[in-house]
Amino acid sequence: MADEIELKLELTPDAADAFEASALVPDASQAVEQQSIYFDTPDRALAKKGLSLRIRRSGGTRIQTVKASGPGTAGLFVRPEWECAVEDDQPILDDTTPIRALLGDSADAIAPVFAVRMARRTWLLGQDGATIEMVLDRGEAMAGDRTSPICEIELELKQGDPVALFALARRIDAVVPVRLGVQTKAERGYRLARPAAPAVKAEPVALGSDMTAARAFQQILQNCVRQFRLNEALLLAGRDAGALHQARVALRRLRSAFSIFKPVIGGGAKTKLGEELRWLASELGDARNLDVLLDRTSPGALRDRIGAAREAAYGRVEAVLASSRVRALMLDLAEWTATGDWLDAPDTEAERNQPVREFAVTALSRFRRRVKKGGRDLAGADDATRHEVRKDAKKLRYAVEFFAALFERKREKRRYRAFLAALEALQDQLGALNDLAMAPHVLEALGLADDPQAPKLLAGGRKKALLDAAADAHEALIDAKRFWR
């Protein structure tokens, strides 16, 4: 078994052409054609265990590879792998891999799921004292009658400091635009084998009770970056309201993670990244506000004008996402997460090395207290105060979801479900109140405040009912038993 450390970068076919013609690429390279078959059980037991199994044919050679998703840090893949030569396209499932031990007799049901066909060019480069294998892959994944193009650069560290991978990535981005890759080829194939999703919701965070708080923070950030990048790709392909919403959710989860883990990373460590994440979230905000307003507007002239404003807002979103600033932000975030100086800061060493479950108990209690205190008079509070409670409730919600895997006992899981349901109910009411508060500002910004249909959107009579419901939901949340105690 060996570990590989690699950084993935996505690019367009035109950018790949320009990359190959650039001075950055050495003359000497290896070029091969590869075909890979990926295997799993009908119920995807391997994928659920975090493993992939493939047989890759290159020339007359076939190599079987088993990879574990393993710990990664926001774009930097660190994956144990097991390799052996095979004679044909039939997997070998002996004790040289963990498959038989993990799946037992279910391993006998393993069969082909999808295939990947690839043209690969490989170079060996030096960067800041490190040796890096740079690979350009062009091809496609195939599952049944569905196909998906693949065009990506993989930078694999052969020797040296992982910081060199990010330095080389920035050199490449200076030549052609590249985006941080968050999917393996196996993940691309699995997604292709499932029905297409218009948006990608947050995935469960794989935390173990043996983790430190610092390692858990890295895992959480990787999870958030992955959600953003997957929805960003969907947004760049089409103007989908669900993908926009989930991209903003990913950014809120990222910013909340910084707040939750402030004792681990220190107060000033994330200033620049935090400012950039706040900027990006605000750039996506107008389009989201118009999506919400459009859903509440009946057909007619006002809806048409809001629809036109929405299209213009989505055009701005696309321009922002295409910018070098956003590409740099994702690389900066990935590098800081994996190699930032916060990992060695002496004043937070004890907090970094704290067992994550112990840290989670303290964090969950802290944010629950903030929600409890801030929401004592929700019905009588002004919009600004309720907005602060809403933000604290979101941070508590994300903390609850981040740490869910640490509380797996039967009673903890039962209390978790009840607590999360109560928290979601409060968020729903606070969100509806926030939409009402935002509507006049959106209409005024569009010059539509005087439109005859505008009063229907402001729905003043609905506010009292929402306030009462929010107060009841807050009381129910505070009464809910804490699953972490």
Side-chain angles (χ1 to χ4, degrees), residues 22-290:
S22 72
L24 185 61
V25 176
D27 292 333
S29 70
Q30 294 181 345
V32 295
E33 299 284 333
Q34 297 179 337
Q35 293 193 22
S36 301
I37 302 173
Y38 286 78
F39 299 81
D40 208 334
T41 63
D43 62 352
R44 306 297 185 256
L46 275 178
K48 292 174 184 176
K49 294 290 187 180
L51 294 175
S52 67
L53 167 63
R54 76 169 185 236
I55 292 178
R56 173 174 287 170
R57 186 176 77 237
S58 181
T61 303
R62 286 180 171 85
I63 299 294
Q64 172 181 295
T65 303
V66 178
K67 289 189 179 184
S69 56
T73 43
L76 198 64
F77 292 82
V78 184
R79 299 182 292 168
E81 64 173 38
W82 297 259
E83 284 192 347
C84 68
V86 292
E87 294 183 358
D88 53 29
D89 291 335
Q90 187 65 34
I92 296 175
L93 304 176
D94 57 20
D95 59 4
T96 61
T97 80
I99 291 178
R100 183 69 67 178
L102 286 172
L103 300 192
D105 292 341
S106 297
D108 295 331
I110 284 176
V113 178
F114 59 90
V116 173
R117 183 170 57 233
M118 200 67 55
R120 165 169 287 192
R121 288 189 68 190
T122 305
W123 302 266
L124 205 60
L125 300 178
Q127 174 73 44
D128 300 334
T131 302
I132 299 172
E133 182 181 79
M134 182 171 70
V135 173
L136 173 63
D137 281 336
R138 300 182 192 236
E140 61 181 355
M142 300 160 285
D145 59 355
R146 298 178 66 195
T147 63
S148 176
I150 297 174
C151 189
E152 64 184 21
I153 295 171
E154 293 183 358
L155 306 178
E156 183 177 345
L157 186 69
K158 295 299 185 181
Q159 181 181 354
D161 192 326
V163 171
L165 294 177
F166 293 97
L168 180 55
R170 290 189 178 86
R171 288 178 60 197
I172 295 171
D173 187 62
V175 175
V176 295
V178 292
R179 298 179 185 276
L180 183 70
V182 295
Q183 292 187 94
T184 64
K185 293 181 178 67
E187 289 171 328
R188 289 176 180 273
Y190 276 116
R191 285 185 177 275
L192 192 63
R194 299 194 299 264
V200 180
K201 294 185 176 181
E203 299 165 329
V205 183
L207 299 185
S209 57
D210 59 339
M211 285 184 176
T212 64
R215 182 69 198 92
F217 178 57
Q218 291 176 313
Q219 195 84 346
I220 288 167
L221 288 194
Q222 181 194 32
N223 180 282
C224 297
V225 168
R226 175 180 168 86
Q227 183 190 10
F228 174 78
R229 282 287 298 112
L230 293 175
N231 284 290
E232 180 189 29
L234 294 172
L235 269 177
L236 290 169
R239 298 180 173 184
D240 185 85
L244 177 73
H245 174 58
Q246 291 301 325
R248 295 187 75 234
V249 168
L251 294 175
R252 286 199 301 267
R253 293 174 73 228
L254 274 167
R255 295 174 64 193
S256 294
F258 279 115
S259 295
I260 294 164
F261 283 86
K262 185 176 179 179
V264 170
I265 61 178
K270 57 132 186 130
T271 301
K272 182 177 184 297
L273 289 172
E275 290 174 352
E276 288 296 280
L277 289 171
R278 189 180 301 109
W279 161 78
L280 180 53
S282 69
E283 290 294 319
L284 307 187
D286 285 348
R288 175 59 185 168
N289 288 337
L290 288 164

Side-chain angles (χ1 to χ4, degrees), residues 49 65 116 140 144 150 197 225 236 259 264 303 320 344 357 361 393 409 411 414 441 451 457 462 480:
K49 294 290 187 180
T65 303
V116 173
E140 61 181 355
I150 297 174
V225 168
L236 290 169
S259 295
V264 170
R303 181 180 175 87
V320 167
D344 300 311
R357 183 179 166 114
V361 168
R409 299 187 184 98
R411 187 182 73 167
R414 184 175 66 252
H441 302 291
D451 190 283
L457 295 180
R462 183 170 168 241

